[in-house]
Amino acid sequence: ETEEFLAAFQARIDAEEKIEPTDPMPQGYRRTLIRQIGQHAHSEIVGMLPEGNWITRAPSLKRILALLAKVQDEGGHGLYLYSAAETLGVTREQMTEELHAGKAKYSSIFNYPALSWADMGAIGWLVDGAAIMNQVALCRCSYGPYARAMIRVCAEESFHQRQGYEIMLTLCNGTKEQKEMAQDALNRFWWPALMMFGPHDGDSAHSEQSMKWKIKRFSNDALREKFINATVPQAEFLGLTVPDPDLEWNEEKGGYEHGDINWDEFWRVVKGDGVMNRERVQMRKDAWDNGAWVREAALAHAQKRAAKIAA
Ligand code: 3HC
């Protein structure tokens, strides 16, 4: 790629133009979008598993309906994002094979087990809350299909976050045991939720270039701080304690100082050695194999219809 080509492309980005699938783009721009959108799609699909486990165990019909709707939404977000990635030339099969082979990343948060009903509250409140922070910014991503996918995703994500928070509120206004369940879920999901935003800016391999290309509008730490500043008051309203003894409001900064994130844990989980990594990938492989007959039937049906129309 010539300097002129790269400069002309950067000028389009700087002018806030949306890049569309058939536009000429640097290979690096294409590659990092395939990487990020593919991982994002995998995160949505794998993210269905912890919650899917609790649909039949939810405490009421109302909770079953809300959780079912949320898990279905996540599946839809995944399909949206796989389609956005396909506009860049990667195939669904390639991305699926990579996930099943353990070669594709997805958000580390989904490698933590969902041990109690309160986890459904903590996941909706914290995980979807963190995802919203990140995804609202992605609505302004320079790549058109990705930005447009995010607008629909964010609309549904806010319902996910609210239903999670409402579960936590109900538990915290319930019995002593229920409030303890909510505190236990916050203890187990707080730090992994902070890790969703990625490494510190200084350790982030892609941030600088991704921000130059306006794929990333805010740095990992900026979004993480925004999430902490919005979420700590919510925990206080619930009467729960954020499991970080170093958490402290800094008036001058207008934000919270927080304790060190355990990056050894982060990289261990990202590299595949978290509590649930193997089980999550295995469940995706089983779902793919068990669903083969559905794909074959849908293809046969589509071919029959096409033949009928052509006749
Ligand atoms: N889990 C797994 N891998 C992570 C990670 C995490 N929490 N955070 C960072 N990484 C990986 C990156 O993918 C990258 O690895 P790679 O080079 O092999 O791809 C490496 O760590 C270095 O991180 P960088 O900060 O340099 O990488 P990015 O610039 O890509 O930033 C990101 C990471 C902020 C997660 C960015 O990729 C992003 O915004 N992705 C889109 C949003 C997304 O995927 N969110 C995940 C959750 S989706 C979700 O929760 C759905 C909701 O409905 C529940």
Side-chain angles (χ1 to χ4, degrees):
E1 289 149 350
T2 64
E3 284 312 309
E4 293 74 21
F5 169 74
L6 294 174
F9 180 78
Q10 192 58 46
R12 290 195 64 200
I13 297 288
D14 296 346
E16 292 292 339
E17 287 182 32
K18 281 282 179 267
I19 307 300
E20 296 300 335
T22 52
D23 291 350
M25 62 182 83
Q27 277 313 312
Y29 181 81
R30 182 187 303 278
R31 234 190 345 266
T32 206
L33 280 167
I34 288 175
R35 172 187 67 81
Q36 177 167 328
I37 302 173
Q39 289 170 9
H40 197 161
H42 293 324
S43 300
E44 299 280 5
I45 298 300
V46 175
M48 294 167 76
L49 299 174
E51 293 165 320
N53 258 335
W54 281 90
I55 291 174
T56 53
R57 302 185 176 105
S60 70
L61 181 60
K62 177 186 148 206
R63 295 294 186 199
I64 291 177
L65 293 174
L67 193 55
L68 198 51
K70 178 177 189 304
V71 173
Q72 281 173 325
D73 281 351
E74 311 291 11
H77 298 171
L79 297 184
Y80 250 55
L81 287 161
Y82 282 130
S83 302
E86 285 176 305
T87 65
L88 290 155
V90 66
T91 66
R92 185 77 55 96
E93 289 67 25
Q94 273 171 293
M95 290 186 277
T96 304
E97 270 158 34
E98 272 180 18
L99 178 66
H100 294 173
K103 287 202 197 101
K105 286 193 172 70
Y106 54 87
S107 192
S108 48
I109 187 77
F110 298 121
N111 291 310
Y112 290 80
L115 301 175
S116 81
W117 171 251
D119 289 15
M120 293 303 105
I123 286 174
W125 172 36
L126 299 174
V127 175
D128 290 75
I132 289 174
M133 291 286 173
N134 171 287
Q135 291 170 157
V136 165
L138 284 168
C139 291
R140 293 173 47 230
C141 165
S142 57
Y143 186 57
Y146 197 18
R148 291 190 291 270
M150 281 301 110
I151 293 167
R152 163 74 180 274
V153 165
C154 287
E156 292 173 340
E157 212 70 272
S158 49
F159 140 65
H160 299 173
Q161 197 262 0
R162 275 204 304 277
Q163 66 88 39
Y165 191 70
E166 201 266 334
I167 289 173
M168 295 301 270
L169 196 59
T170 306
L171 291 170
C172 290
N173 292 334
T175 63
K176 181 170 151 304
E177 291 73 19
Q178 286 173 327
K179 184 154 188 182
E180 282 164 2
M181 266 174 70
Q183 181 63 61
D184 167 58
L186 173 56
N187 293 345
R188 285 182 288 108
F189 278 92
W190 175 255
W191 291 102
L194 299 191
M195 295 174 191
M196 287 176 66
F197 294 95
H200 282 310
D201 298 345
D203 305 322
S204 164
H206 302 292
S207 283
E208 192 187 338
Q209 184 60 62
S210 286
M211 289 189 78
K212 200 157 169 270
W213 277 332
K214 296 187 182 174
I215 295 169
K216 193 178 265 190
R217 289 286 186 163
F218 300 95
S219 78
N220 296 358
D221 286 326
L223 282 184
R224 191 179 357 255
E225 305 295 320
K226 206 159 162 255
F227 171 74
I228 292 170
N229 294 345
T231 310
V232 170
Q234 292 172 342
E236 284 166 358
F237 182 80
L238 290 171
L240 296 178
T241 309
V242 171
D244 176 1
D246 299 322
L247 196 70
E248 191 185 344
W249 179 257
N250 175 328
E251 194 51 43
E252 206 184 307
K253 172 181 154 185
Y256 285 92
E257 303 294 350
H258 59 83
D260 293 341
I261 293 172
N262 181 339
W263 295 112
D264 291 342
E265 177 183 328
F266 171 79
W267 288 113
R268 184 166 46 74
V269 176
V270 170
K271 289 192 168 70
D273 207 13
V275 173
M276 301 295 290
N277 293 59
R278 286 171 197 77
E279 190 166 345
R280 299 293 189 221
V281 172
Q282 188 55 50
M283 284 189 79
R284 284 310 314 151
K285 281 158 57 172
D286 294 349
W288 180 261
D289 296 344
N290 298 339
W293 68 272
V294 176
R295 292 192 298 278
E296 282 151 28
L299 271 175
H301 178 63
Q303 279 152 2
K304 250 198 233 160
R305 275 174 59 123
K308 225 182 198 167
I309 294 167

